[in-house]
Amino acid sequence: QDYTVEGFSTVIWTGTGANQYIGGTGFQPDFTWIKGRSAAEYSTIHDAVRGADKSLASEVTNAEATTGSGRVASFDTDGFSLGTSGNVNANGTTYVAWNWDMGGSNATNTTGSINSTVRANPSYGQSIVSYTGSSGAQTIGHGLSSTPEMIIVKDRSSAQEWLVYHHSLTDAKDKYLRLDTTSAVADNTFWNDTAPTNQVFSVGDSQPVNSGHGDSYIAYCFHSVTGYSKFGTYEGDGSTSHAITTGFKPAFVL
């Protein structure tokens, strides 16, 4: 695609095995999630707060990898540049990337008990939050103007599970989902039994989201924006088709 879009866009390409530029996102991405379509490749997650050369894989608990220019070499004005890694650019393999505009610049957020580095786009209800763990329950500023409805957190320093907060879960402040497994909803104190607010989200004293050892963490925060995004639930019955109302035609469904 090659047209002006706002907030989010999808691009697809075929790998060449040689360095190549992928354009047509419509903005300079801050958060890019890449998946091989025609081959079994890890989904790689890159963002501009950690740096384009830092990679996480959503299917596994692995700590962050520094890939140099082998995967995503840089975020550019209308796309991103790739290296030769098979995860993103094997010759003849087809790929998809989902891209978000997270605001374009970093800011230090001192609202919470832990200072955070935030890249936020309040207009579209989405932000990237980097923080360092500290002993005890903590609060972390997310940089949005409304309360996050979904938060995805990953320990960058250690092999720990991907944790997901979702406001639609019953008693959501005590519940979590995992991005890296097929597990159903579970109960824990990862969110310190405290719902997020329009300024901060809370974490307990547990390594997947917070560590007194000083682990580095990344969080992706989202809330619904009329006509752009929607975060909710639905109940299936296994027999009849359902129309799930979002209020707009979705470009991406997770």
Side-chain angles (χ1 to χ4, degrees):
Q1 65 186 44
D2 190 16
Y3 53 90
T4 300
V5 294
E6 296 179 347
F8 172 86
S9 73
T10 303
V11 291
I12 59 175
W13 70 93
T14 300
T16 63
N19 295 341
Q20 68 165 325
Y21 169 70
I22 307 301
T25 57
F27 51 81
Q28 181 164 318
D30 302 290
F31 174 30
T32 293
W33 192 345
I34 299 173
K35 182 68 181 80
R37 300 166 58 204
S38 60
E41 300 286 357
Y42 280 142
S43 298
T44 64
I45 293 177
H46 305 260
D47 67 69
V49 174
R50 294 181 296 128
D53 66 334
K54 302 293 192 298
S55 178
L56 289 163
S58 60
E59 301 93 332
V60 294
T61 60
N62 296 8
E64 177 181 88
T66 299
T67 59
S69 59
R71 293 180 184 170
V72 176
S74 62
F75 294 111
D76 305 314
T77 302
D78 186 39
F80 48 89
S81 296
L82 297 176
T84 59
S85 168
N87 289 115
V88 299
N89 193 21
N91 187 35
T93 298
T94 57
Y95 298 87
V96 60
W98 304 291
N99 306 278
W100 286 263
D101 177 355
M102 296 298 217
S105 61
N106 293 351
T108 299
N109 187 300
T110 59
T111 305
S113 58
I114 294 178
N115 290 347
S116 56
T117 300
V118 173
R119 186 170 290 218
N121 191 334
S123 296
Y124 292 104
Q126 51 203 35
S127 69
I128 305 168
V129 182
S130 175
Y131 63 96
T132 301
S134 182
S135 296
Q138 304 291 339
T139 59
I140 301 148
H142 52 66
L144 300 176
S145 55
S146 296
T147 302
E149 295 173 314
M150 184 172 77
I151 305 170
I152 303 171
V153 180
K154 180 68 177 77
D155 186 332
R156 301 167 56 190
S157 305
S158 304
Q160 296 289 332
E161 57 262 49
W162 286 86
L163 294 187
V164 181
Y165 166 89
H166 200 287
H167 76 120
S168 293
L169 301 175
T170 301
D171 200 16
K173 63 185 175 59
D174 299 326
K175 301 297 189 294
Y176 71 97
L177 289 161
R178 288 182 60 176
L179 198 63
D180 56 293
T181 75
T182 59
S183 300
V185 173
D187 188 297
N188 205 297
T189 57
F190 292 132
W191 317 119
N192 197 37
D193 290 342
T194 305
T197 72
N198 62 355
Q199 293 188 310
V200 300
F201 65 93
S202 297
V203 292
D205 190 9
S206 185
Q207 192 167 5
V209 292
N210 184 29
S211 168
H213 302 297
D215 283 12
S216 297
Y217 293 86
I218 197 74
Y220 305 110
C221 302
F222 303 89
H223 66 73
S224 300
V225 173
T226 301
Y228 172 73
S229 62
K230 186 70 174 177
F231 298 88
T233 60
Y234 65 92
E235 184 173 342
D237 62 19
S239 59
T240 58
S241 60
H242 286 281
I244 311 301
T245 301
T246 61
F248 55 91
K249 183 177 181 179
F252 175 67
V253 178
L254 177 64

